[in-house]
Amino acid sequence: RTELAIKEIMSSGGAEDDIPQAERKTVTDFCYLLDKSKQLFNGLRDLPQYGQKQWQSYFGRTFDVYTKLWKFQQQHRQVLDNRYGLKRWQIGEIASKIGQLYYHYYLRTSETSYLNEAFSFYSAIRQRSYYSQVNKEDRPELVVKKLRYYARFIVVCLLLNKMDVVKDLVKELSDEIEDYTHRFNTEDQVEWNLVLQEVAAFIEADPVMVLNDDNTIVITSNRLSETGAPLLEQGMIVGQLALADALIIGNCNNQVKFSELTIDMFRMLQALEREPMNLASQMNKPGMQESTEKPARRENPHKYLLYKPTFSQLYTFLAASFKELPANSVLLIYLSATGVFPSGRSDSEGPYDFGGVLTNSNRDIINGDAIHKRNQSYKEMHCLHPGDLYPFTRKPLFIIVDSSNSVAYKNFTNLFGQPLVCLLSPTAYPKALQDQSQRGSLFTLFLNNPLMAFLFVSGLSSMRRGLWEKCQDYLRKINRDIAQLLTHSRSIDQSFLQFFGDEFLRLLLTRFIFCSATMRMHKIFRETRNYPESYPQLPRDETVENPHLQKHILELASILDVRNVFLENTLDDY
């Protein structure tokens, strides 16, 4: 088929016999590489989504072919223009596929530097206007390729916090969609407009704006930086466990999402990543770097991002993570999901008697959070119960549940004596607090960007950069003090300390305590269900209700001039 196509292409450029042998070979080689690249790229879909080893050699081969193809079209552009009729959108397609490869490599490895590589290829397409001629051709499928490129570029920019670029891309995409639907009377107009609405809502999800002096918005990053996690002081006795794998699960009804990422998932994945670094060379293939080139301590925990998984999908990925977890490592499970409550009365109090969180099913959900069954004596089927996680507590497990039924996971039992911690969100927020749930959970915001969450509960919606940075410095001091409170505690459960040696988990634990202490001091958070909880329980007087920490929180409130929002004599109020 390829040879026939080559003959047709070349004869259309003039008499076939007139074409020099070298040029003929150039076209043949290009067609071979193009075919091979498409074949390998399509094969990526058939690779298992879970398991970290099987896919690497296949990805390596695909990268090899695309690297050759990219360089080949650069070196022989003149011949390919004349003899093959190479169009600019075809070069754009190759660059777009390489961008997709880098993005998928990021998803597989969690190495944020690959996002920069995807960004550089996607940017080149835009700067060089590779897709600009597509609109002149009467082929709707080509325009759809262009629209999909925009959507993919937006995802990468969101993950890199390049919000200024996102806003430009959204405007361009909006114009392209309008032109597309005007020229071709297509059925997918509603879907593309939905894409625009989703990304617009995603950009506006943050409840607080940080402003420069000229009123432009400051882009803040919430990935782990060098100064991010409080350092361990000499003499702190903590475990040597490292966070190696994380399942980030999003199954909330009506939460802002874009491209199978809810805003909660987006925030949590950034809390488990370091700031990206630029890779040395654009065409360095992933996995091909010499070990000597790798900067020290750069690894991010591997992640699976599961949007609205069914129970069987969730369990499959969980089992794969569990199986591949290295020695002295931790598996983190983050659940941001609608609560499922037991509908029947149960005499027992076992791990399947308190409900849990929603897993996806094709059935309709009735009454938002409550799911009804025909037979009251059976347990909820489309639900991840605490008991479902018991088999996985054979290895160190760190669980975060953000749900209206998070307390179901308070009834855990540590059967195997391995380190086990559950951080549980409030099950309800005060009515007086404006409902932000659609724009992401307040609890997850505290774990991702504690200062923004603190400003939101204090009733602030914007702030100057200078004050923001001053507060961030003070918050780092608070985190250091929380770390000391934890490690000096006489009565704290050892599980907390065993996880405390890992930077990511240390930061999550200190932010959790800051969140809990803030809510307990806040005047409108007055019910028990308004507070986060944990399994095992933290000693309150040494952590979330510690007078030293409460003094710090009041001091932070004073810097922001919102001290009136908090109770002064909290210890007297309990």
Side-chain angles (χ1 to χ4, degrees), residues 111-112 161 220-231 243 267-277 297-301 447-449 476 479 501-508 510-511:
E111 174 47 77
T112 36
N161 291 308
T220 57
S221 172
N222 302 303
R223 287 189 170 92
L224 183 64
S225 61
E226 296 304 314
T227 57
L231 293 170
L243 177 60
R267 285 173 177 157
M268 185 48 63
L269 79 87
Q270 298 208 14
L272 300 179
E273 290 180 349
R274 298 175 198 281
E275 281 296 345
M277 286 167 59
R297 304 279 321 269
R298 271 298 301 163
E299 293 81 15
N300 290 322
L447 298 181
N448 159 266
N449 190 339
R476 275 190 277 276
N479 272 342
D502 180 89
E503 281 180 290
F504 292 104
L505 299 179
R506 184 156 73 247
L507 200 54
L508 287 171
T510 53
R511 286 172 174 177

Side-chain angles (χ1 to χ4, degrees), residues 166-184:
V166 172
K167 285 171 184 169
D168 291 344
L169 291 175
V170 169
K171 190 177 181 319
E172 288 171 30
L173 177 59
S174 176
D175 294 343
E176 293 289 347
I177 291 169
E178 200 172 318
D179 180 65
Y180 168 64
T181 51
H182 183 70
R183 284 173 57 217
F184 308 102

Side-chain angles (χ1 to χ4, degrees), residues 410-545:
K410 209 170 65 169
N411 305 287
F412 240 88
T413 310
N414 190 339
L415 298 175
F416 303 105
Q418 290 293 312
L420 171 67
V421 160
C422 304
L423 305 183
L424 311 171
S425 72
T427 54
Y429 293 101
K431 294 266 191 298
L433 199 71
Q434 70 183 85
D435 182 26
Q436 281 282 114
S437 56
Q438 204 175 348
R439 291 163 73 175
S441 155
L442 178 59
F443 178 66
T444 293
L445 186 61
F446 261 105
L447 298 181
N448 159 266
N449 190 339
L451 181 54
M452 185 172 283
F454 188 85
L455 296 175
F456 172 68
V457 297
S458 304
L460 299 170
S461 59
S462 67
M463 155 156 304
R464 293 278 158 212
R465 182 180 197 144
L467 185 55
W468 170 269
E469 285 168 358
K470 182 181 177 183
C471 292
Q472 284 287 31
D473 283 342
Y474 195 77
L475 198 53
R476 275 190 277 276
K477 174 181 166 25
I478 294 178
N479 272 342
R480 284 196 298 274
D481 285 358
I482 292 173
Q484 279 194 334
L485 289 176
L486 268 174
T487 51
H488 292 175
S489 167
R490 300 267 172 96
S491 54
I492 194 166
D493 188 283
Q494 287 302 299
S495 281
F496 290 102
L497 298 179
Q498 284 170 299
F499 290 128
F500 214 64
D502 180 89
E503 281 180 290
F504 292 104
L505 299 179
R506 184 156 73 247
L507 200 54
L508 287 171
L509 284 167
T510 53
R511 286 172 174 177
F512 173 80
I513 289 169
F514 173 72
C515 167
S516 195
T518 299
M519 289 175 175
R520 285 167 186 277
M521 291 181 70
H522 201 290
K523 285 179 179 172
I524 64 168
F525 285 74
R526 296 313 331 129
E527 296 179 55
T528 316
R529 61 193 191 134
N530 297 158
Y531 306 139
E533 301 208 39
S534 67
Y535 170 88
Q537 282 195 339
L538 284 162
R540 280 195 207 167
D541 55 333
E542 292 180 297
T543 57
V544 297
E545 288 174 10

Side-chain angles (χ1 to χ4, degrees), residues 210-423:
V210 185
L211 301 171
N212 285 309
D213 292 338
D214 61 357
N215 281 346
T216 54
I217 295 174
V218 178
I219 307 304
T220 57
S221 172
N222 302 303
R223 287 189 170 92
L224 183 64
S225 61
E226 296 304 314
T227 57
L231 293 170
L232 292 173
E233 295 179 10
Q234 274 189 320
M236 281 187 178
I237 309 298
V238 295
Q240 300 303 305
L241 296 171
L243 177 60
D245 221 328
L247 263 77
I248 296 180
I249 295 148
N251 198 0
C252 280
N253 300 325
N254 310 322
Q255 196 177 88
V256 166
K257 67 166 263 293
F258 185 63
S259 177
E260 304 224 321
L261 261 188
T262 65
I263 193 77
D264 277 356
M265 291 169 73
F266 176 73
R267 285 173 177 157
M268 185 48 63
L269 79 87
Q270 298 208 14
L272 300 179
E273 290 180 349
R274 298 175 198 281
E275 281 296 345
M277 286 167 59
N278 281 311
L279 290 181
S281 147
Q282 192 144 283
M283 291 311 281
N284 255 4
K285 291 178 293 300
M288 309 291 167
Q289 279 181 299
E290 292 300 313
S291 56
T292 51
E293 288 176 41
K294 279 207 166 177
R297 304 279 321 269
R298 271 298 301 163
E299 293 81 15
N300 290 322
H302 171 264
K303 300 184 293 298
Y304 289 119
L305 306 174
L306 302 180
Y307 173 67
K308 297 204 167 179
T310 61
F311 177 81
S312 56
Q313 284 170 328
L314 198 159
Y315 230 57
T316 304
F317 279 85
L318 195 46
S321 283
F322 180 82
K323 175 173 176 272
E324 295 194 344
L325 198 69
N328 300 317
S329 296
V330 181
L331 172 60
L332 181 147
I333 302 169
Y334 167 78
L335 297 162
S336 158
T338 301
V340 177
F341 299 91
S343 45
R345 298 297 304 158
S346 173
D347 298 332
S348 60
E349 291 200 344
Y352 286 89
D353 292 320
F354 297 95
V357 300
L358 184 67
T359 55
N360 201 6
S361 76
N362 298 328
R363 309 223 181 108
D364 289 337
I365 294 159
I366 311 157
N367 290 346
D369 272 3
I371 292 193
H372 298 284
K373 312 184 309 301
R374 286 199 192 110
N375 188 326
Q376 299 286 302
S377 64
Y378 294 131
K379 302 302 175 197
E380 298 69 23
M381 194 186 294
H382 300 289
C383 169
L384 188 75
H385 297 264
D388 293 325
L389 298 179
Y390 276 23
F392 303 103
T393 60
R394 286 175 169 82
K395 293 182 181 179
L397 198 60
F398 193 99
I399 302 166
I400 301 171
V401 186
D402 196 337
S403 173
S404 53
N405 192 23
S406 59
V407 289
Y409 293 80
K410 209 170 65 169
N411 305 287
F412 240 88
T413 310
N414 190 339
L415 298 175
F416 303 105
Q418 290 293 312
L420 171 67
V421 160
C422 304
L423 305 183

Side-chain angles (χ1 to χ4, degrees), residues 35 60 69 86 126 144 146 186 194-195 197 208 218 220 272 282 309 315 341 447 501 519 523 540:
D35 265 11
L69 180 63
L86 185 67
R126 185 163 166 246
V144 169
K146 185 178 186 177
T186 60
L194 186 62
V195 168
Q197 287 165 24
V208 179
V218 178
T220 57
L272 300 179
Q282 192 144 283
Y315 230 57
F341 299 91
L447 298 181
M519 289 175 175
K523 285 179 179 172
R540 280 195 207 167

Side-chain angles (χ1 to χ4, degrees), residues 1-10 27-28 31-39 42 84:
R1 211 183 74 223
T2 307
E3 282 172 25
L4 259 175
I6 293 166
K7 279 188 173 174
E8 276 175 33
I9 289 161
M10 293 175 76
V27 173
T28 309
C31 287
Y32 169 76
L33 283 172
L34 192 62
D35 265 11
K36 187 74 180 158
S37 69
K38 284 178 180 171
Q39 185 188 334
N42 292 337
Y84 178 81

